[in-house]
Amino acid sequence: MASTTFAAPPRPRPRRLDRSRLAGLALVAPSLLYLTVFVFIPVVKAITTSFTVRDRDNAGNYSYRVGTDNYRAIFETETLRDNVIFTVLIAVISVAIVFALAYSIALALRFGKGPAVRFLSRIYVIPLFIPSVIASYAMITFLANHGFVDGLLQRVGFPDESFPRIVFDWKGIVITQVWLSLPFMTVLLSSVLLEISDTLVESARDVGASSWQIFRHIVLPLSAPGALIGITFMFLGVVGGFTVPYLLGPNAPQMLGVSMVYYMTNYFEPYVASTQAVVIFLLSLVAAIYYVRQQFKREVR
Amino acid sequence: MAAGARALPGVSLTWAIDDPRMRRLILRLFVAGLAVFIGIPLLTLVLWSFAGEWFWPNVIPTQWTIRWYEQVFENPRVVNAMVLSFTIAPVVTVLTALIAIPAGYAFARLNVPFRRVLLLLFLIPNAFPRIGLYVSLAVLYYQINLIDTYWGVVFLHMIGTLVYMTWITTATFRSIDPHLEEAARDAGASPLRAFWSVVFPLALPGIIVASLFSFLASLDEAQGTLIVGTPHFITMPVLMYTLISSFERPVAAVFSVLLSLPSLVLLVAAQRYLRSEYVAAGLGRV
């Protein structure tokens, strides 16, 4: 309420209020216009495009009709169906590993002390500042067959060709995703853990609770809602990722992000690409709804 | 950041182990393992960028050189990509700031009608997987002739930066005492004047952090730019895709070092402004 004064009662003065509402709307309008043109319309467009079927007759002319053929293609073509399953699996595995690691780091930062913890607080943020293309490339040189780690193992006497295939395989995608997402998840969990009051933990200790009991009955339940925001946000990120699976993933199965871009730019099939985009939206719908609801609660408060 | 300044008696990462020496050992091993996992891959890239001769399985190069750096700066493709990246990022940042700061102010201070619905709409871009949005946007771009154009790339970059900057500025304006602005108004200042001379200077640190991150996000955006910007608008990270797949290893390594520098400089420069909620608000480049 920018225009109220100290002494003024907050409620009456309808004219001022109307002007402030109008001003509010005017200030939000440009952003809203932008989001409409570049986010909402494309999403609606993707949905309508996914129900558009392009047929080609014997003379080579195209005709268009409305139908669900694109969706049937995705679920009946084995490679496309495998891509969907692969995408979900990779996302679930990456999120689980990042969550376990980030929770350990956040607990150490919140409750630990000493030089090791101070060092930890400095290093864990680094990947946040490295572009994902660079991180992917670093992981390739690091983990590839005949890469850095392979060479190191060779030097200490492991037999040649004994290094497993990590790059251009699902393992490469997971490891790089973990590397990239670790700081974000840790920052989020740290801020959640900071909201747990010291008094609460100390009083539990005073009545004789063990560290495990404190963790199990106080820290874990109190951090769960915030943690779920991090989990859903990261799930959305991995499912909608392109760079990491494109550079480190196998040729088949592909993650949906990669396959979608190929259909779009290499095969010039916007119909199949849009359908995959809608499938990606649906796959992440539960996560998306949860994310929006929780984030909303925090912002509106 | 959240560094364990306020340690609690007896509760630590290794709560399950009784012996304190054992506990310290495990914590140190964990930290060391993490340092190796995070640091060594980046170090390998730096080594590659200076490698004159590096035959596998040597652990470090056998000859050192800076010729790859010279080669990179003589390569017109690379120079063009740098120029393009640094002409796109400021434009993205300024345009985003122009529309996000008013929206952030309105959400924090004014009585915006349909406030809840609008806030919900502003969360949508984060709730859809990015690559799906970009492909949908590319389909639209083909129809309105924005594909492979400068403005097409700029507008795509703004999807991420707009949401981020709106949240940060909303939080920043909300943290400023409204009485200050009211006092200025009582003293006879116009609403605009009160904003410029009282609220804006106080909000500046938050706005600067948000702008810096927008700049970096635009500089690092690769996947969307690849889809809507090829073949004529190749920014630095998009060129990286080509360099990696063409196996020019030392050149790609040099380029990686150069591309990471702006972010790392910022990390060092801005560390004390990096409040964790800023980062958590949406920087997550997952």
Side-chain angles (χ1 to χ4, degrees):
Chain A
M1 245 60 54
S3 47
T4 46
T5 56
F6 283 123
R11 256 180 299 118
R13 283 213 270 171
R15 243 184 75 83
R16 278 298 255 301
L17 203 70
D18 276 344
R19 270 175 60 191
S20 133
R21 281 169 70 92
L22 216 60
L25 202 60
L27 290 180
V28 176
S31 295
L32 200 63
L33 183 71
Y34 169 84
L35 287 177
T36 310
V37 175
F38 293 96
V39 176
F40 306 142
I41 290 179
V43 169
V44 173
K45 197 103 198 77
I47 297 172
T48 55
T49 312
S50 73
F51 287 104
T52 309
V53 186
R54 183 169 65 177
D55 297 311
R56 196 167 169 221
D57 64 16
N58 293 333
N61 298 319
Y62 290 116
S63 62
Y64 300 88
R65 63 188 164 81
V66 175
T68 55
D69 301 34
N70 296 327
Y71 288 92
R72 255 187 286 138
I74 285 196
F75 291 99
E76 282 167 10
T77 315
E78 204 184 326
T79 50
L80 286 175
R81 197 177 48 211
D82 284 352
N83 290 350
V84 176
I85 299 168
F86 185 64
T87 306
V88 175
L89 280 180
I90 292 286
V92 170
I93 296 172
S94 310
V95 171
I97 296 176
V98 166
F99 183 73
L101 272 178
Y103 210 105
S104 314
I105 301 174
L107 280 177
L109 293 175
R110 171 74 173 82
F111 299 117
K113 54 184 175 185
V117 173
R118 272 201 302 280
F119 179 62
L120 181 64
S121 75
R122 294 207 174 273
I123 58 159
Y124 87 91
V125 285
I126 293 174
L128 199 58
F129 296 87
I130 305 293
S132 51
V133 195
I134 310 297
S136 304
Y137 186 53
M139 278 298 170
I140 294 174
T141 58
F142 188 60
L143 291 173
N145 297 81
H146 285 213
F148 187 82
V149 178
D150 194 2
L152 209 63
L153 291 177
Q154 191 92 148
R155 283 263 141 164
V156 297
F158 277 78
D160 202 2
E161 307 295 324
S162 65
F163 194 67
R165 186 187 184 82
I166 295 177
V167 172
F168 309 126
D169 191 61
W170 68 269
K171 298 192 254 343
I173 307 179
V174 170
I175 293 175
T176 313
Q177 282 298 356
V178 169
W179 195 90
L180 275 168
S181 314
L182 202 53
F184 167 73
M185 187 74 98
T186 310
V187 167
L188 198 117
L189 290 175
S190 295
S191 72
V192 169
L193 289 183
L194 270 180
E195 283 165 20
I196 299 174
S197 80
D198 288 2
T199 349
L200 192 63
V201 178
E202 273 156 23
S203 53
R205 182 147 295 280
D206 288 345
V207 296
S210 70
S211 299
W212 165 250
Q213 281 172 323
I214 291 176
F215 175 74
R216 173 72 190 76
H217 296 288
I218 296 177
V219 177
L220 197 60
L222 282 178
S223 59
L228 269 166
I229 292 188
I231 288 176
T232 48
F233 192 76
M234 188 189 156
F235 181 85
L236 293 169
V238 179
V239 165
F242 167 78
T243 303
V244 175
Y246 173 69
L247 292 173
L248 281 121
N251 281 326
Q254 280 168 344
M255 284 187 70
L256 278 175
V258 178
S259 140
M260 205 188 315
V261 172
Y262 280 143
Y263 272 95
M264 187 73 206
T265 57
N266 294 15
Y267 315 148
F268 303 105
E269 279 275 5
Y271 307 96
V272 183
S274 298
T275 314
Q276 285 176 310
V278 176
V279 169
I280 265 194
F281 293 155
L282 292 176
L283 276 182
S284 27
L285 201 61
V286 178
I289 290 174
Y290 185 85
Y291 169 79
V292 168
R293 274 187 49 191
Q294 287 301 317
Q295 197 73 344
F296 192 58
K297 271 189 212 157
R298 294 187 128 203
E299 298 297 339
V300 175
R301 243 201 306 239
Chain B
M1 227 160 277
R6 287 182 294 158
L8 291 174
V11 191
S12 81
L13 166 69
T14 44
W15 33 262
I17 296 131
D18 289 326
D19 181 17
R21 269 175 314 174
M22 192 69 184
R23 201 157 30 181
R24 222 169 14 230
L25 183 71
I26 289 178
L27 179 69
R28 285 195 180 153
L29 282 179
F30 177 72
V31 173
L34 210 66
V36 168
F37 175 61
I38 290 175
I40 304 294
L42 294 175
L43 215 60
T44 339
L45 276 191
V46 178
L47 287 184
W48 265 112
S49 74
F50 291 107
E53 189 186 277
W54 191 354
F55 291 117
W56 192 82
N58 286 324
V59 176
I60 56 167
T62 41
Q63 270 175 33
W64 304 86
T65 180
I66 55 159
R67 76 163 182 275
W68 305 118
Y69 281 84
E70 294 163 1
Q71 208 171 315
V72 159
F73 281 107
E74 282 162 9
N75 185 335
R77 271 198 310 166
V78 173
V79 175
N80 286 343
M82 283 183 187
V83 171
L84 183 65
S85 279
F86 279 97
T87 44
I88 287 178
V91 173
V92 169
T93 309
V94 169
L95 283 183
T96 309
L98 279 180
I99 64 175
I101 295 174
Y105 181 80
F107 280 137
R109 284 291 166 82
L110 301 181
N111 193 355
V112 182
F114 313 113
R115 184 188 151 84
R116 296 174 66 88
V117 181
L118 287 176
L119 279 172
L120 210 62
L121 287 179
F122 272 76
L123 277 173
I124 296 284
N126 272 355
F128 280 114
R130 271 296 148 76
I131 197 75
L133 274 186
Y134 291 158
V135 165
S136 313
L137 194 59
V139 174
L140 181 77
Y141 274 10
Y142 272 111
Q143 285 162 352
I144 58 175
N145 287 328
L146 268 177
I147 202 86
D148 196 19
T149 60
Y150 177 82
W151 291 108
V153 174
V154 167
F155 290 138
L156 178 132
H157 285 193
M158 283 172 66
I159 295 180
T161 54
L162 175 67
V163 176
Y164 180 66
M165 210 188 254
T166 308
W167 290 129
I168 301 272
T169 47
T170 306
T172 309
F173 286 128
R174 209 177 274 162
S175 70
I176 296 169
D177 189 350
H179 290 143
L180 292 172
E181 201 178 353
E182 285 158 19
R185 296 276 284 125
D186 287 346
S190 69
L192 209 61
R193 176 85 201 272
F195 177 80
W196 273 116
S197 25
V198 177
V199 183
F200 189 75
L202 287 171
L204 206 56
I207 292 173
I208 289 176
V209 168
S211 305
L212 283 175
F213 278 134
S214 295
F215 191 87
L216 282 182
S218 167
L219 219 52
D220 295 345
E221 209 297 319
Q223 47 192 32
T225 317
L226 177 75
I227 302 172
V228 306
T230 39
H232 291 105
F233 292 86
I234 307 291
T235 57
M236 290 202 283
V238 175
L239 185 63
M240 256 314 272
Y241 286 126
T242 328
L243 291 179
I244 293 173
S245 18
S246 60
F247 298 101
E248 302 171 63
R249 185 164 272 182
V251 178
V254 167
F255 206 55
S256 306
V257 172
L258 295 178
L259 200 50
S260 309
L261 277 182
S263 313
L264 285 176
V265 167
L266 192 85
L267 165 70
V268 176
Q271 200 159 28
R272 85 200 152 98
Y273 297 111
L274 290 180
R275 303 205 342 238
S276 61
E277 65 260 39
Y278 287 168
V279 183
L283 182 67
R285 288 185 229 154
V286 275

